[in-house]
Amino acid sequence: SIGLVVSYACPANAVSIAGDYAITPSGAAATANYAVTYANGTLTVTDKDVPIITWTAPDAIVYGTALSATQLSATANTPGTFVYTPAAEAVLHAGTRTLSVTFTPADPVNWTTATAQVELTVTKAMLTATAADATRAYGQANPDFTVTCTGFVDSETVAVLDIAPTATTTATATTGVGTYDIGASGGADTDYDFTYVKGTLTVTPAALTCTADSHSRPYGSANPVLTITYTGLANGDAAPAVPPVAA
């Protein structure tokens, strides 16, 4: 052995950022046989590897469908943990929604965390809006029509709708006896579309009471003109003519 003992120093440590760091030798004792000079070396600290996240944009879902592994399906080229936002079981409103994931590698020494995003289309759910059947007599005003909506997500009710459907008909108080459509329409909401089902308004005959008027006459005289009083005429309808009565 030539008896030289050389030490070295480097400012880099385990948490130093990527870059080049000098390795500085020193401390060799003088020797008769060697003239010692020093030449620095270089420690190159490279960046951690960035995981490659693969996440195909999922197929569209209908409002009311909870997020699951079908949508939250990212993979990476190194083991680790995925944290999604929104999380599994979340129900998203209709529209184009952004799904995000943060991936934490199991090996934090050689790999850095990474994030990714995809867009998910949430389509509107379909409600069936059915106009309820109704009945009224000829000459009466139409009743208040009602619409029943079915197909709500979870425990939602008509109260969540931006605009609730209403029902109307072309029949009026003067419309004759018969059946007429009651149409539902006008619903609007950010999460629901509407299918409309008609109801039926049945106009029944009005109750008409025909009362023979009472009269008197002396014995031996001809009967007076007999008359009838009509109760229940509607819409200004005229009383029918009374046919002649034989004496």
Side-chain angles (χ1 to χ4, degrees):
S1 171
I2 62 176
L4 290 174
V5 178
V6 180
S7 60
Y8 62 87
C10 181
N13 56 36
V15 295
S16 296
I17 63 174
D20 292 334
Y21 298 85
I23 304 172
T24 306
S26 64
T31 174
N33 295 322
Y34 294 95
V36 179
T37 59
Y38 299 103
N40 290 348
T42 300
L43 172 66
T44 299
V45 178
T46 60
D47 284 327
K48 294 180 181 181
D49 287 334
V50 178
I52 298 174
I53 298 177
T54 302
W55 194 5
T56 302
D59 293 336
I61 60 174
V62 177
Y63 171 63
T65 303
L67 294 179
S68 68
T70 301
Q71 295 78 40
L72 309 180
S73 57
T75 60
N77 61 337
T78 186
T81 303
F82 295 91
V83 176
Y84 293 94
T85 304
E89 302 304 321
V91 175
L92 306 182
H93 290 288
T96 300
R97 304 301 169 190
T98 299
L99 307 180
S100 302
V101 68
T102 298
F103 176 71
T104 302
D107 175 9
V109 174
N110 295 304
W111 297 86
T112 186
T113 59
T115 61
Q117 293 181 331
V118 294
E119 289 190 342
L120 171 66
T121 299
V122 182
T123 61
K124 293 183 179 184
M126 185 64 70
L127 291 180
T128 299
T130 303
D133 294 337
T135 301
R136 67 163 175 84
Y138 167 73
Q140 298 297 311
N142 289 329
D144 291 332
F145 299 127
T146 60
V147 178
T148 300
C149 293
T150 57
F152 283 105
V153 170
D154 297 331
S155 59
E156 291 185 338
T157 66
V158 69
V160 305
L161 299 179
D162 296 333
I163 302 175
T166 57
T168 57
T169 184
T170 58
T172 66
T174 60
T175 302
V177 170
T179 57
Y180 304 88
D181 286 341
I182 302 173
S185 63
D189 192 69
T190 55
D191 289 324
Y192 293 101
D193 278 329
F194 298 84
T195 296
Y196 297 105
V197 178
K198 294 178 180 179
T200 299
L201 172 65
T202 301
V203 179
T204 60
L208 180 64
T209 302
C210 305
T211 304
D213 298 325
S214 297
H215 296 273
S216 64
R217 65 170 176 81
Y219 172 74
S221 297
N223 287 335
V225 176
L226 302 180
T227 58
I228 296 176
T229 297
Y230 297 91
T231 304
L233 288 170
N235 298 321
D237 289 343
V242 179
V245 178

